Amino acid sequence: MDALFSRLFSSEEEELYILDCMAYSMAFMAACTFVTLLFENVPYGRYATSKYGFPVNVRLAWFVQELPAFLVPLCLVVWTSSAKTSRLPNQLLIAMYFCHYVQRSLIYPFLIRGGKPTPFASFVLAIVFCIYNGYMQIRYLSHYAEYPAYWVTHPCFITGSILWLVGWLVNVHSDHILRNLRKPGETGYKIPTGGMFEYVSGANFLGEITEWAGFALASHSVHSSAFAIFTTVVLASRAVAHHKWYLAKFEDYPKSRKALIPFLL
């Protein structure tokens, strides 16, 4: 794979420049997505419509679309040579990334119960994004990210790592609550309760936003920051849409519950 990169890029400086451009492009995409989502919900799940293409089985869609976010980085780590992967800060940050995507691509899809099919357009866009972001995050961390020896004791790394862990736990626990809302044979929607759902409608989204914000703080790069911004734009919009949907559907929906940020929003 090193030979492939040497053919694609004339120098490491050129590849790093491309990675930087990818990060700034993702930040720009986040701005465009923010504007778009003011007028339309993310088209999957309860907001899916036929105008975005034929439906793909939800388990298959989640597995296939998320798998590149695991496989592309795995190839970059295993089949490329870089001294950066021997350094503790880089190792820990790469481990954070893999921890999320092992769960998201290899475990989560097979735990889904029911769920509406994913429109083909959303499915394809998710695949493209996972390839794009997987390469950008892990290629930078494994080959270019430079951290001082004391970085793992720096307040930014410690705080970011704690935020990442808390966010990951909230995300996984919230998904568990959502999966177990219905008893076997039941259909329809129910009001989620327990965990962070006692405070916000989008507890799973809050967890993932917190997770990647912590990752960005710990890794201290434009690449991780762009990903955190993009994630926040998409998931915050979905949390607000869910909150409005719950309020409209359930007369007894807790009025004190917020959309995304406890007690505030």
Side-chain angles (χ1 to χ4, degrees), residues 43 60 83 126 191 201 240:
L60 177 64
I191 299 174
S201 299
V240 171

Side-chain angles (χ1 to χ4, degrees), residues 217-260:
L217 181 60
S219 59
H220 226 60
S221 72
V222 65
H223 313 86
S224 57
S225 297
F227 181 33
I229 292 169
F230 189 91
T231 299
T232 299
V233 167
V234 173
L235 297 187
S237 171
R238 196 159 180 82
V240 171
H242 272 29
H243 186 66
K244 292 178 180 178
W245 185 89
Y246 279 126
L247 288 172
K249 185 171 181 64
F250 298 102
E251 292 183 0
D252 59 340
Y253 195 73
K255 298 299 185 290
S256 61
R257 190 177 296 184
K258 300 298 182 181
L260 184 64

Side-chain angles (χ1 to χ4, degrees), residues 13 30 49 52 57 65 77 96 112 134 160 187 197 231-232 237 244 251-252 257:
E13 289 74 17
T49 66
Y52 292 103
N57 175 273
Q65 74 190 29
V77 170
M96 290 180 200
I112 294 174
T187 59
F197 281 113
T231 299
T232 299
S237 171
K244 292 178 180 178
E251 292 183 0
D252 59 340
R257 190 177 296 184

Side-chain angles (χ1 to χ4, degrees), residues 36 39-43 47-55 119-122:
T36 301
F39 306 97
E40 187 156 357
N41 292 318
V42 179
Y47 310 112
T49 66
S50 59
K51 72 178 181 178
Y52 292 103
F54 63 85
F120 184 72
S122 299

Side-chain angles (χ1 to χ4, degrees), residues 88-89 92-93 96 151-162 214 217-219:
L88 183 59
L92 292 174
L93 290 164
M96 290 180 200
W151 184 245
V152 293
T153 60
H154 192 281
C156 285
F157 186 88
I158 294 173
T159 304
S161 298
I162 292 171
L217 181 60
S219 59

Side-chain angles (χ1 to χ4, degrees), residues 18-59:
I18 295 297
L19 288 169
D20 290 346
C21 288
M22 290 176 69
Y24 290 117
S25 295
M26 183 177 285
F28 176 74
M29 285 191 293
C32 295
T33 302
F34 174 79
V35 174
T36 301
L37 293 179
L38 292 176
F39 306 97
E40 187 156 357
N41 292 318
V42 179
Y44 71 89
R46 68 192 67 175
Y47 310 112
T49 66
S50 59
K51 72 178 181 178
Y52 292 103
F54 63 85
V56 181
N57 175 273
V58 64
R59 282 188 176 183

Side-chain angles (χ1 to χ4, degrees), residues 11 31 44 56 59 67 78 144 148 153 155 170 185 207:
S11 65
Y44 71 89
V56 181
R59 282 188 176 183
L67 192 58
V78 173
Y144 295 103
T153 60
V170 169

